[in-house]
């Protein structure tokens, strides 16, 4: 079974994309395969005009259709998910997430937008027919720390939420396969995750 990591940030690297890849790597350790799709990499004109004849757009929509699960990440702007992500979700057919498991993630500057995923994005995911939308994970800037050498570190509360989300999604995938999920392995929240090491980073470029 396959997982699609869908990034909705207009900037890369970013806090949301680092968290997204960190979760993808943890899922891979549990035996799941994943592919990555950053909406910002799609041709802007074709995206905004919903040009289904564009090869890249067609390939991106097909990637969603082929995935068994979607981990979707977005920064929170103006109390909602990004317009970039909205433009892509608008390309999907009405049942574009039918039968799929979805884990929503978001990052933001503070606690004020903690519920943005639930009141803005979750209804859209359900409207697209998602089989199950797992508990949303929201992390603020103080809970994520990026170091050029050590990679991504999560503070204890968000590390626990991330671990719970990974376990939920992994278990759901094994159930879809008709397999018994393996026993969960306790993670040490003090050990930093290492994500997006292949992306250039500068201290002034800590985008959401």
């Amino acid at each position: 079974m396959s997982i699609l990591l869908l990034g909705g940030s207009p900037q890369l690297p970013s806090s949301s994309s680092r968290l997204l890849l960190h979760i993808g790597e943890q899922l891979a350790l549990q035996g799941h395969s994943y592919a990555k799709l950053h909406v910002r990499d799609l041709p802007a004109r074709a995206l905004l005009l919903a040009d289904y004849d564009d090869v890249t757009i067609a390939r991106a929509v097909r990637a969603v259709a082929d995935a068994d699960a979607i981990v979707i990440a977005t920064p929170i702007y103006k109390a909602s998910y990004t317009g970039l992500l909205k433009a892509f979700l608008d390309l999907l057919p009405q049942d574009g997430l039918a039968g799929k498991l979805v884990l929503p993630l978001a990052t933001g500057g503070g606690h004020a937008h903690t519920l943005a995923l639930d009141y803005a994005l979750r209804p859209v995911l359900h409207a697209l027919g998602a089989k199950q939308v797992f508990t949303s994970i929201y992390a603020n800037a103080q809970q994520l720390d990026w170091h050029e050498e050590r990679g991504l570190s999560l503070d204890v509360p968000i590390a626990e939420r991330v671990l719970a989300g990974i376990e939920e999604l992994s278990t759901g995938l094994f159930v879809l396969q008709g397999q018994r999920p393996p026993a969960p392995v306790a993670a040490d929240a003090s050990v930093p995750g290492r994500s997006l090491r292949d992306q250039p980073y500068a201290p002034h470029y800590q985008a959401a």
Side-chain angles (χ1 to χ4, degrees):
M1 291 204 150
S2 63
I3 300 167
L4 180 65
L5 307 182
L6 179 60
S9 176
Q11 300 185 31
L12 188 72
S14 67
S15 296
S16 60
S17 61
R18 287 171 178 145
L19 181 59
L20 179 65
L21 185 54
H22 171 72
I23 289 178
E25 291 171 346
Q26 296 305 307
L27 286 164
L29 292 176
Q30 299 199 19
H32 305 292
S33 61
Y34 69 82
K36 295 178 289 184
L37 171 61
H38 294 288
V39 180
R40 71 183 299 276
D41 293 334
L42 299 177
R45 180 177 176 84
L47 177 65
L48 293 177
L49 295 180
D51 183 3
Y52 295 99
D53 292 328
D54 182 273
V55 174
T56 306
I57 294 296
R59 186 182 301 121
V61 172
R62 173 53 56 185
V64 173
D66 289 344
D68 300 293
I70 310 290
V71 184
I72 183 170
T74 178
I76 298 300
Y77 295 154
K78 309 298 184 184
S80 185
Y81 61 100
T82 63
L84 187 69
L85 180 59
K86 177 64 164 62
F88 180 72
L89 293 177
D90 285 346
L91 294 177
L92 302 181
Q94 186 62 41
D95 59 349
L97 296 179
K100 303 183 189 306
L101 308 178
V102 183
L103 176 61
L105 318 172
T107 57
H111 291 294
H113 301 308
T114 301
L115 298 179
L117 280 172
D118 290 330
Y119 67 69
L121 182 57
R122 182 176 292 270
V124 176
L125 301 176
H126 282 298
L128 288 169
K131 179 181 180 67
Q132 185 170 2
V133 182
F134 294 106
T135 303
S136 303
I137 299 172
Y138 175 86
N140 64 49
Q142 292 71 44
Q143 294 174 308
L144 303 175
D145 181 63
W146 175 261
H147 189 278
E148 189 172 3
E149 294 299 324
R150 296 190 298 269
L152 181 66
S153 298
L154 314 179
D155 76 355
V156 173
I158 196 62
E160 292 174 347
R161 287 181 63 90
V162 165
L163 178 60
I166 290 169
E167 292 296 338
E168 284 184 341
L169 181 56
S170 181
T171 298
L173 284 168
F174 282 117
V175 169
L176 282 181
Q177 288 178 296
Q179 299 180 12
R180 176 174 296 180
V185 179
D188 184 351
S190 66
V191 178
R194 303 175 69 83
S195 299
L196 289 189
R197 294 294 304 278
D198 55 334
Q199 294 291 340
Y201 173 77
H204 65 276
Y205 192 30
Q206 185 76 5

